[in-house]
Amino acid sequence: MALDKATVAHVAKLARIKLDDAEIEKYQGDLNAILDWMEQLNEVDTDSVEPMTAVVPRATAERHDVVTDGGRQDAVTENAPDAAHGYFVVPKVVE
Amino acid sequence: MTKLTDMTLAEAVDGLARKDFSAVELTEDYIKAMEASRPLNIYVTETPEKARDMAKASDARIAAGTVGPMEGVPLGIKDLYCSEGVRTQAGSHILDGFVPPYESTVTANLWKAGAVHLGKVNMDEFAMGSSTTTTVWGATINPWKRRADDKTDLVAGGSSGGSSAVVAAHAALAATGTDTGGSIRQPASYTGIVGIKPTYGRCSRWGIVAFASSLDQAGPMTRTVEDAAIMLGAMAGHDPKDSTSVNVAVPDFRAAVERGVKGLKVGIPKEYRVDGMSADAERLWQQGIEWLKAEGAEIVDISLPHTKYALPAYYIIANAEASANLARYDGVRFGLRVEGDSLDEMYENTRGAGFGAEVKRRILTGTYVLSAGYYDAYYRKAQKVRARIAEDFERVYETVDVILTPATPTPAFPVGQDADDPVAMYLNDVFTVTVNLAGLPGISVPAGLTAEGLPMGLQLIGKAFDEETVFAAGRVLERGADFTAKPSFLADAGI
């Protein structure tokens, strides 16, 4: 099943990555080659297999629901491209 | 007296404890070597002042008699580890100027053990690559050259190619690496050094920039097996800040190194004789078998039938996890921002400009295999195949103790080769990805030189949490190979 350009553009939109037409064409070729190569997994019988989600199976670790860190607003925002009054600044999203 | 920079980590730590020389003297020599290594483009951020301060503090501890297991050891740190107050970019434009306000757990453990921070070293962008060429800093060059061709620059492997080159070129005593599909073991093989990816969960991932969270593991890259054992002991340990770090005791790895292999059963998987494997790999593998046999190991032919499906399964799982992990680079909290008229446009512009071609390719693939309608066909299928691969190992470990394979099918290749063929580039990881999928420990140990005069490694794969057997068998390979060849470029040549 080959990916068309519109699908590649849609996937790029989902991933929030701006691509120009030349890039869309390039990634269309790359993705089709990679997906074709991945098709070989269909040769493996996995009917009776549970998907593996953890390498070391064990119960999820629990901790007490208490504050262990905080009060470091400056450290949190110091790497932001734009910050003001202790907040991250983004383009206007509400008219 | 031999050069300080010629010593192994074990020799340096012992010499410092005996006060044969000071941590400051050792660090000053490595700072000179760091500067001399610039033609190879290994260090991306040099921190000589930090190194001097840490070395002084180390000498004060030695004088006071409180010596840590890594006391005074100057390290190169992969640019993937967050270093408090030191620029950390994971080789990416999108993290331009990021200075973490915190330190990764693994590096914090190393500093607590006495180690010294020389600087940050190069890597493939977000650890996605096998060549350390997909980086905003430009390619790192392997200190080794082909015997008959000293003009062609070769890759140092990847993604931990700065870490491998820095150790091979004597521009650091050891380095941290990370390994998601072979990113410690393949570059170690390409540069004639030792690298181990421990069992998943052995080292904390906290503060290491995430690529594929169910596969990523930190590990040491060193000159000898004993050095790797010492350094892994200092890196490992349970960390409540990483819920996948396992709460088990860290054994005394150094004590296991000389244990030998007498009576050990070593598995040789027939599926690892793949198309495209070089005659050198075949020859070195056979030599490895002979070295282990000579020391009393029993060789057992085994089968890991799902091996050929490991690479495609790996690239589905790793890319899916990467597409989720890299969603955080949005131009809001850190790094690059490229403005746009709306929030969405700002995201798209930032990510379009900030990610390199290979990272985009992987995010797009990962987004596609997770998207509605394709999740079962790709992602869920790959997770099931992953279970099959893990079962293969469980079954053979009922009869063998450790597995011997080549670390890589070929030696280091020229910079630029296969840059436009992603699938060909992915084949570099054919012997190493299975180990990440199953979460097992794997080491690469230098086995010898190819006909062209390039180093290649052998890989040993252990049972989960049995790094000790891996170190013991690795030491036997090391003794058998007696690998003393040096690369044509050594950064300490003028010291």
Side-chain angles (χ1 to χ4, degrees), chain B residues 126-477:
Chain B
F126 285 110
M128 297 177 187
S130 305
S131 57
T132 309
T133 55
T134 74
T135 143
V136 71
W137 312 112
T140 288
I141 308 301
N142 195 325
W144 291 84
K145 294 268 189 283
R146 289 174 179 156
R147 203 178 277 135
D149 175 11
D150 61 3
K151 295 282 181 291
T152 304
D153 286 337
L154 305 174
V155 301
S159 65
S160 309
S163 308
S164 64
V166 84
V167 175
H170 286 199
L173 186 38
T176 58
T178 63
D179 190 317
T180 304
S183 281
I184 287 175
R185 292 159 287 157
Q186 183 256 22
S189 174
Y190 281 12
T191 54
I193 67 162
V194 174
I196 180 168
K197 181 203 88 72
T199 310
Y200 184 83
R202 183 63 95 180
C203 291
S204 170
R205 293 180 297 107
W206 192 85
I208 300 173
V209 175
F211 162 15
S213 302
S214 78
L215 300 159
D216 298 343
Q217 261 298 290
M221 301 177 72
T222 59
R223 292 185 203 161
T224 70
V225 173
E226 184 183 26
D227 289 1
I230 295 169
M231 186 163 160
L232 180 61
M235 295 167 75
H238 176 241
D239 176 13
K241 287 190 284 196
D242 172 6
S243 63
T244 63
S245 101
V246 177
N247 197 355
V248 294
V250 179
D252 182 351
F253 294 129
R254 192 179 185 178
V257 170
E258 297 295 344
R259 218 160 61 176
V261 292
K262 204 168 166 44
L264 221 59
K265 291 198 171 84
V266 179
I268 308 297
K270 65 174 186 207
E271 290 80 5
Y272 281 59
R273 286 179 204 286
V274 297
D275 292 344
M277 187 160 98
S278 64
D280 290 306
E282 184 76 52
R283 173 177 56 83
L284 293 170
W285 196 8
Q286 195 52 46
Q287 278 186 355
I289 291 171
E290 299 306 324
W291 293 327
L292 291 166
K293 253 195 211 166
E295 300 236 4
E298 185 190 331
I299 303 300
V300 183
D301 288 324
I302 59 168
S303 171
L304 297 165
H306 294 91
T307 299
K308 69 174 278 210
Y309 303 107
L311 268 177
Y314 168 83
Y315 276 96
I316 291 172
I317 291 166
N319 291 352
E321 292 183 13
S323 76
N325 272 328
L326 272 61
R328 74 192 63 176
Y329 304 104
D330 56 5
V332 174
R333 289 157 297 166
F334 26 66
L336 181 76
R337 170 184 290 193
V338 179
E339 298 297 346
D341 288 337
S342 65
L343 187 62
D344 265 342
E345 214 178 283
M346 187 275 283
Y347 291 155
E348 288 173 4
N349 290 345
T350 300
R351 293 164 63 82
F355 291 132
E358 178 61 21
V359 173
K360 284 183 195 169
R361 186 152 48 214
R362 297 206 193 190
I363 293 175
L364 293 172
T365 314
T367 304
Y368 180 75
V369 300
L370 289 177
S371 64
Y374 300 102
Y375 181 90
D376 283 345
Y378 289 102
Y379 186 62
R380 208 173 152 77
K381 180 76 185 180
Q383 283 184 312
K384 289 182 172 186
V385 173
R386 184 178 186 179
R388 283 279 191 230
I389 289 162
E391 282 168 14
D392 281 356
F393 281 104
E394 277 166 34
R395 196 174 34 75
V396 300
Y397 281 134
E398 288 169 11
T399 49
V400 304
D401 301 297
V402 70
I403 296 167
L404 177 73
T405 78
T408 50
T410 59
F413 52 88
V415 173
Q417 183 179 303
D418 288 335
D420 296 324
D421 185 349
V423 173
M425 187 62 96
Y426 297 169
L427 292 176
N428 272 289
D429 298 330
V430 66
F431 296 140
T432 48
V433 281
T434 49
V435 178
N436 299 78
L437 289 169
L440 303 172
I443 197 171
S444 175
V445 177
L449 295 178
T450 65
E452 289 174 314
L454 295 177
M456 270 182 83
L458 285 170
Q459 175 177 238
L460 288 157
I461 306 166
K463 297 177 181 174
F465 297 104
D466 187 17
E467 287 86 357
E468 289 165 284
T469 299
V470 170
F471 282 127
R475 175 69 185 123
V476 168
L477 293 181

Side-chain angles (χ1 to χ4, degrees), chain B residues 58 61 67-73 107-115 234-235:
Chain B
S58 193
R61 285 191 297 270
V67 180
M70 293 285 291
E71 200 61 65
V73 173
T107 47
N109 289 347
L110 287 166
W111 313 141
K112 219 180 299 161
M235 295 167 75

